[in-house]
Amino acid sequence: MRSANVFSEKLTNWDLLNTNVKPYLEEMPHLREIQAELETVISDGRGLDSEQEVARAQLRELTRRRQDLERRGESLRRRVASHLRGTFGFTSEQLIKFGVNPRPTRPRPRKSRKSQEKPQETASSPPAK
């Protein structure tokens, strides 16, 4: 649960208490000062809650803009890297100074002779139909 929901519940509880205590202030005058302070806290809390929602909306907007910028930057980086690979070659060591990893030049593993040979049919086995 988000802390904003918890705070909102607290504000609701404080407001309920404040509203229901008001009719009894004539009978309990010692609560007037506390009730007035509670009313101030409730109004301040609502103001802070609305400020927090505005800040949350701004954060989401900034996050979306930053992610768009990251996508654009990565796309441009990949395009430049492709041009550099085309110019210098995929395995060129010159790519390193641009932050582009050259393609490794490891030799391919050789197939063993046994896997290259086809199994020969023996004369005793009948031909497959």
Side-chain angles (χ1 to χ4, degrees), residues 21 24-37:
V21 162
Y24 295 95
L25 289 178
E26 291 297 322
E27 297 170 20
M28 299 179 241
H30 55 280
L31 288 180
R32 282 180 200 249
E33 190 176 314
I34 298 171
Q35 182 272 332
E37 191 175 346

Side-chain angles (χ1 to χ4, degrees), residues 76-125:
L76 292 169
R77 185 198 64 78
R78 284 191 299 267
R79 287 172 59 192
V80 169
S82 294
H83 282 282
L84 291 171
R85 285 185 186 111
T87 302
F88 296 114
F90 285 89
T91 57
S92 173
E93 296 295 320
Q94 290 180 336
L95 294 174
I96 295 172
K97 69 181 174 185
F98 299 104
V100 178
N101 292 328
R103 183 175 286 166
T105 57
R106 288 180 258 150
R108 284 187 174 178
R110 297 185 123 203
K111 293 183 179 179
S112 65
R113 284 197 165 265
K114 290 181 182 179
S115 65
Q116 290 178 349
E117 294 176 7
K118 292 183 179 179
Q120 296 176 356
E121 293 182 24
T122 58
S124 61
S125 62

